[in-house]
Amino acid sequence: MEIFHISAECYPMAKVGGLADVVGALPKYQKNAGHQVRVVVPGYDTKFKNENDFECVHWGNVKLGNFDFPFSVLKETTDKLGYELYLIEINELFNRPNLYGYEDDIERFLSFQIATLDWILARKSVPDIINCHDHHTGLIPFLIKYAYKYEGLQTIKTVITIHNGLYQGWFGFDKLHYLPEFDLIHVGFLEWDNSLNSLAVGIKCAHAVTTVSPSYLNEINISANGLESLFNSVRNKSIGILNGIDFEVWNPSKDQMIAENYAINTIETGKKKNKEKLCEQFELDSTKPLFSFIGRLFEEKGGDLLPHASALALSENFENINILILGSGNAAIEEQLIQLRNDYNGNYNVFIGYNEELAHLIYAGSDYILMPSRVEPCGLNQMYALRYGTVPIVRRTGGLRDTVIDFGDSGNGICHDQASVGDICYSINRAMKLYDDKISFNEIRKKGMAIDHSWERVCKEYIDIYTLIIEKNEI
Ligand code: ADP
């Protein structure tokens, strides 16, 4: 079948978080399974775009109210990604260093969606499936069904995959005229809570809704930033599919970004070398257990709990542990984390920013990864950690609940129930005791490394959904 993935992120072209990892991997495995797969993302000004060759395959013009945005579609010329990558180049809107966070984000992603559909319409063949990802592409299922100009695309079946339901792409009805013309009888599909809610539109109009873990699907029926009742009403077309991880990128025996490659049978020496390198870089003591955090520093990730929890764990256990944090986000949290350096020099360090290479070294060199998330639709960090023999310490929520089982229940990690400083410190305490029991600690690390979170299995689940909605053939 012919499949299009349309997304705001795709690794290695443009990454902020897990969305990029998923859209950069799933298509590759779908192609390996024999399908024609294309990925479309905005043509941001990224390192990948500047260092790779593209050819122009289409150009056109998006009209958004009074604005006119000329666009071109660029195709990556090699086959190295394992799927065809296309960029929607709209200089005025995407030739910027950051992916998000601009005042005109609504105009940017609306233009992206319209330009993508214009191009698909102009192509000779119509795909079987369009898999939209998150709110940035949520209007596509509506436009295909109801915009007059896309009538030729109505045979396409659409899926919306929700990687994060907190962000919904709201805008006012004063911008309704930006949308290509459609019969106003359908305007109700666009509305949620008196505004135009892109994610809600996608959920209402797509033929299937997927979330990135089964537990997250259950949770958003109870709490979803205002969309709970909508999720309840589409339960019969929804499914939670746990993400996989890309073993070609995340493989400690081949990873070029770490200090020493290792496998299960060389875990002890391999992890030791990586830990030494990491500790040397951050002036930590490699003989002590190393607890790390990687991620966006926001409440959703429990980022606000990290300064206090780190201070408490370090003051109670000063000299006994190291804590290392890699992330960026909320400025106040960043500042508190930087301040902690003064008090716990030698046992604590932080790197504010985004650094892919360092993230790999941290997964390889740490003993534990902390994930005190309040919300975690799937979470990839814990799966990468397991793959690198690093024991995850997680709050039981979303995908963390589906992938990490407490070692007290013969599992692969350490779990707690509350997103609180007390629960994090309690888990750190349990982790220290486990660390001293070298035999059990090693057994758990090896168990984590052996888990199969490969995309092959997951890929089949997506194809099954696509097949089902194609066979049902509902409008
Ligand atoms: P989310 O998408 O909600 O941020 P996920 O756990 O799904 O969380 O994915 C996070 C991805 O982003 C992982 O690949 C993680 O390693 C990476 N990541 C997050 N923050 C950073 C950072 N500061 N530097 C490098 N990689 C990061």
Side-chain angles (χ1 to χ4, degrees), residues 352-413:
I352 299 295
Y354 186 91
N355 188 325
E356 189 77 21
E357 208 163 314
L358 177 57
H360 282 246
L361 184 62
I362 292 179
Y363 289 119
S366 302
D367 297 301
Y368 293 101
I369 282 285
L370 294 166
M371 296 187 75
S373 309
R374 289 193 174 79
V375 182
E376 198 61 81
C378 175
L380 294 171
N381 297 17
Q382 81 281 12
M383 295 200 256
Y384 298 148
L386 289 166
R387 180 86 176 125
Y388 283 70
T390 298
V391 180
I393 299 181
V394 308
R395 167 164 181 258
R396 285 190 188 94
T397 181
L400 298 176
R401 190 189 291 278
D402 294 335
T403 49
V404 183
I405 295 164
D406 193 87
F407 74 96
D409 300 320
S410 313
N412 49 19

Side-chain angles (χ1 to χ4, degrees), residues 285-330:
D285 180 348
S286 69
T287 62
K288 296 171 187 164
L290 173 57
F291 296 78
S292 301
F293 172 94
I294 300 173
R296 296 181 291 114
L297 296 170
F298 290 111
E299 282 189 14
E300 153 195 3
K301 296 281 178 192
D304 55 316
L305 304 170
L306 287 174
H308 190 180
S310 302
L312 201 67
L314 287 164
S315 55
E316 274 182 1
N317 301 307
F318 192 50
E319 311 249 318
N320 285 331
I321 64 169
N322 302 292
I323 295 182
L324 176 62
I325 290 168
L326 163 63
S328 63
N330 179 297

Side-chain angles (χ1 to χ4, degrees), residues 7-308:
S7 168
E9 297 183 34
C10 173
Y11 179 81
M13 163 59 197
K15 172 169 169 176
V16 169
L19 168 63
D21 289 358
V22 173
V23 179
L26 173 61
K28 188 161 56 182
Y29 291 86
Q30 290 180 331
K31 185 163 178 232
N32 289 346
H35 304 284
Q36 278 180 287
V37 193
R38 302 186 163 87
V39 177
V40 191
V41 295
Y44 315 101
D45 182 24
T46 62
K47 188 164 177 274
F48 181 89
K49 183 179 160 205
N50 294 324
E51 290 178 357
N52 287 275
D53 293 328
F54 294 87
E55 60 174 318
C56 180
V57 294
H58 180 79
W59 59 87
N61 197 54
V62 174
K63 204 166 165 39
L64 225 57
N66 293 330
F67 303 109
D68 261 323
F69 297 114
F71 75 90
S72 44
V73 182
L74 307 182
K75 177 176 186 283
E76 199 267 330
T77 52
T78 70
D79 204 15
K80 67 180 170 195
L81 297 175
Y83 50 84
E84 290 180 16
L85 175 71
Y86 295 87
L87 308 184
I88 302 293
E89 174 113 308
I90 308 178
N91 272 328
E92 208 177 324
L93 300 177
F94 291 112
N95 199 10
R96 308 176 190 176
N98 294 330
L99 275 57
Y100 314 117
Y102 298 100
E103 269 182 8
D104 58 352
D105 274 358
I106 290 300
E107 285 76 7
R108 295 170 78 223
F109 289 103
L110 201 46
S111 305
F112 167 60
Q113 294 175 82
I114 294 171
T116 303
L117 290 183
D118 283 359
W119 165 54
I120 295 177
L121 189 65
R123 290 171 75 241
K124 287 198 181 67
S125 72
V126 175
D128 302 290
I129 291 287
I130 289 186
N131 197 150
C132 303
H133 295 269
D134 275 351
H135 73 85
H136 320 96
T137 57
L139 294 172
I140 285 176
F142 174 86
L143 294 174
I144 289 179
K145 272 189 175 165
Y146 303 117
Y148 298 126
K149 74 166 168 169
Y150 299 128
E151 229 170 55
L153 302 181
Q154 279 178 358
T155 55
I156 302 173
K157 301 294 173 228
T158 55
V159 175
I160 183 153
T161 300
I162 295 163
H163 300 256
N164 195 330
L166 288 178
Y167 306 98
Q168 299 173 2
W170 308 267
F171 56 104
F173 273 89
D174 55 320
K175 293 186 175 171
L176 184 65
H177 64 291
Y178 283 174
L179 268 54
E181 227 178 302
F182 62 94
D183 187 339
L184 278 174
I185 200 168
H186 302 301
V187 75
F189 286 110
L190 299 173
E191 195 268 343
W192 191 261
D193 207 10
N194 295 324
S195 65
L196 213 154
N197 181 317
S198 306
L199 188 65
V201 178
I203 295 165
K204 289 182 198 179
C205 297
H207 297 92
V209 176
T210 67
T211 61
V212 287
S213 72
S215 285
Y216 186 59
L217 180 59
N218 293 335
E219 287 169 12
I220 53 180
N221 275 269
I222 298 162
S223 165
N225 209 7
L227 295 187
E228 306 76 19
S229 60
L230 179 59
F231 279 114
N232 270 292
S233 69
V234 297
R235 195 77 209 218
N236 62 346
K237 64 168 182 179
S238 309
I239 182 168
I241 304 177
L242 189 70
N243 282 336
I245 61 173
D246 191 347
F247 284 178
E248 285 173 24
V249 179
W250 299 96
N251 181 351
S253 63
K254 292 201 182 127
D255 194 330
Q256 297 292 306
M257 300 187 212
I258 63 177
E260 171 101 359
N261 292 121
Y262 58 97
I264 291 191
N265 55 353
T266 50
I267 182 170
E268 279 176 81
T269 49
K271 283 197 71 74
K272 189 165 179 278
K273 288 250 169 65
N274 284 293
K275 186 174 175 184
E276 280 165 2
K277 166 98 187 281
L278 194 57
C279 286
E280 187 190 317
Q281 200 171 325
F282 287 94
E283 295 169 348
L284 302 169
D285 180 348
S286 69
T287 62
K288 296 171 187 164
L290 173 57
F291 296 78
S292 301
F293 172 94
I294 300 173
R296 296 181 291 114
L297 296 170
F298 290 111
E299 282 189 14
E300 153 195 3
K301 296 281 178 192
D304 55 316
L305 304 170
L306 287 174
H308 190 180

